[in-house]
Amino acid sequence: MRPGGLIGRCAVFLLGAVMALFLTAFGAKAETHAIRIGTFVTSVSGVNPADGSFRISAYLWTVDPLGQFDPENQIEILGRNWSSRKIADRMMPDGSRYVAVLVEAVVDHQFDLHAFPFDHQKLTFSIEATSSAHSLVLVPDHADSRLADFLTVPGWTVTGLNLTSDAHLYDTSFGQTTAHPTFSRLTVGVDLTRNVSPLVVEKFAGFLVALIISALVFVVPVTELGTRIGMTTSSIFAAVFNRYRLEDSIGFDSVFGLVDQISLLTFSAILWTLGISLWTHRRASSHGKIVAARIDHQLGIAVIGLHILLMGLCLSLAMR
């Protein structure tokens, strides 16, 4: 066989292989079924950081160019529990199928309480197709997706709505095949900002009372140790009550947030007050009441002033 003929055959073979790969890739892409999906959120309620959940009601619609997709049977809402009810199903003039369903769900959510009560939350719930992402893709309908103008969330201001889509790979085959499946997922996000009254100290009223009592301890003569300890005990009860009240509202959070910072500073001020009272009481016996009182006032101003400054710094950082 002539070398030129061999080279020609190899070139033809390579060209054919490249064309086959191109056609295969193009064909796989063409087989992907794109479904346009949008939402109209009508209600958000039960926003509960302590329980880590919220409730949402929304209309979902899908537009399928092939006229086959039925969201009532071919999507899943990722949440604790959910229900859907079909309210519209019709063919469009261009041959596409329009289906709308009303969805209600209770959804788990990881709340970010680092800046509570100045926090912002993005409540998200995900919608997932039951078919593989290799054959079906959910495409967000950004143009028509909206929040209802009558939507209100007690204690919060609703600031925005956003939709994103991706292909989610599961780390399991669900007992069917050896391959890990991938499903198209649409994530709906509702942005909330917590309403805070001008008297934000109401959230930390117990801590404020405890700090005021601690400051007033230094007005009492150093020789009146029993009175000082009694006032310090009262400040501890006020701080503990405020702490438990906040934990009932927001639950346990592993982040060292504003609530924890204010709690720590309040108890620190109380302990410093107790320690100074004991030390100056003993010093009054050995160095005289006048000297002990002067040291007591100086230390009291320094300790209470420093704790107020640190609390103000924590609040200013949380409000950013």
Side-chain angles (χ1 to χ4, degrees):
M1 181 180 295
R2 291 181 299 175
L6 178 60
I7 294 174
R9 291 191 179 198
C10 289
V12 171
F13 175 77
L14 290 174
L15 179 61
V18 170
M19 291 181 65
L21 289 173
F22 174 77
L23 291 173
T24 301
F26 179 79
K29 183 177 180 180
E31 291 177 0
T32 302
H33 193 180
I35 305 296
R36 179 161 57 92
I37 181 170
T39 183
F40 183 74
V41 180
T42 59
S43 173
V44 175
S45 61
V47 181
N48 190 349
D51 183 58
S53 66
F54 67 94
R55 297 180 60 89
I56 189 165
S57 298
Y59 292 101
L60 297 177
W61 63 83
T62 61
V63 179
D64 177 13
L66 301 183
Q68 302 172 353
F69 189 77
D70 184 358
E72 193 173 29
N73 301 313
Q74 292 178 269
I75 63 170
E76 293 283 341
I77 306 295
L78 305 184
R80 293 187 185 181
N81 56 72
W82 63 280
S83 62
S84 67
R85 177 170 58 87
K86 186 180 296 185
I87 57 175
D89 187 350
R90 59 177 177 269
M91 301 301 294
M92 306 297 285
D94 60 359
S96 61
R97 183 185 183 186
Y98 173 90
V99 181
V101 295
L102 173 62
V103 171
E104 296 180 336
V106 177
V107 183
D108 293 313
H109 181 71
Q110 182 66 45
F111 289 84
D112 180 6
L113 300 171
H114 184 272
F116 176 89
F118 307 102
D119 51 322
H120 307 272
Q121 304 293 336
K122 180 184 288 293
L123 305 182
T124 60
F125 75 102
S126 297
I127 303 160
E128 198 169 83
T130 58
S131 300
S132 170
H134 299 296
S135 60
L136 188 147
V137 175
L138 300 177
V139 180
D141 186 350
H142 296 289
D144 285 331
S145 295
R146 294 287 187 276
L147 295 168
D149 55 2
F150 52 81
L151 174 63
T152 59
V153 184
W156 300 84
T157 298
V158 184
T159 58
L161 172 72
N162 54 79
L163 281 69
T164 58
S165 63
D166 65 338
H168 184 77
L169 174 65
Y170 282 91
D171 189 22
T172 176
S173 63
F174 296 100
Q176 298 183 38
T177 63
T178 57
H180 293 173
T182 302
F183 297 98
S184 182
R185 177 181 294 183
L186 176 78
T187 300
V188 179
V190 180
D191 297 318
L192 302 180
T193 299
R194 190 185 297 273
N195 296 334
V196 181
S197 72
L199 298 177
V200 67
V201 292
E202 65 180 347
K203 298 291 185 182
F204 304 106
F207 296 135
L208 179 62
V209 170
L211 192 63
I212 292 174
I213 294 175
S214 297
L216 292 175
V217 167
F218 295 100
V219 179
V220 178
V222 294
T223 54
E224 300 291 335
L225 184 60
T227 303
R228 285 187 161 214
I229 292 179
M231 295 175 67
T232 303
T233 303
S234 299
S235 65
I236 291 174
F237 281 123
V240 170
F241 173 78
N242 201 160
R243 177 67 190 188
Y244 281 139
R245 185 170 66 89
L246 288 173
E247 286 188 355
D248 289 339
S249 299
I250 65 177
F252 172 78
D253 188 59
S254 58
V255 176
F256 187 66
L258 179 62
V259 170
D260 302 289
Q261 295 164 9
I262 298 297
S263 300
L264 178 62
L265 289 172
T266 302
F267 286 109
S268 173
I270 294 172
L271 291 176
W272 272 101
T273 300
L274 179 61
I276 293 171
S277 296
L278 293 172
W279 183 72
T280 54
H281 177 74
R282 294 190 60 183
R283 196 167 182 83
S285 302
S286 58
H287 292 76
K289 298 179 182 179
I290 298 177
V291 175
R294 184 172 66 250
I295 296 174
D296 181 74
H297 291 161
Q298 291 173 350
L299 290 176
I301 292 173
V303 167
I304 298 301
L306 177 61
H307 283 80
I308 291 176
L309 180 64
L310 291 175
M311 288 181 180
L313 178 62
C314 294
L315 286 169
S316 63
L317 291 176
M319 293 173 65
R320 289 184 177 180

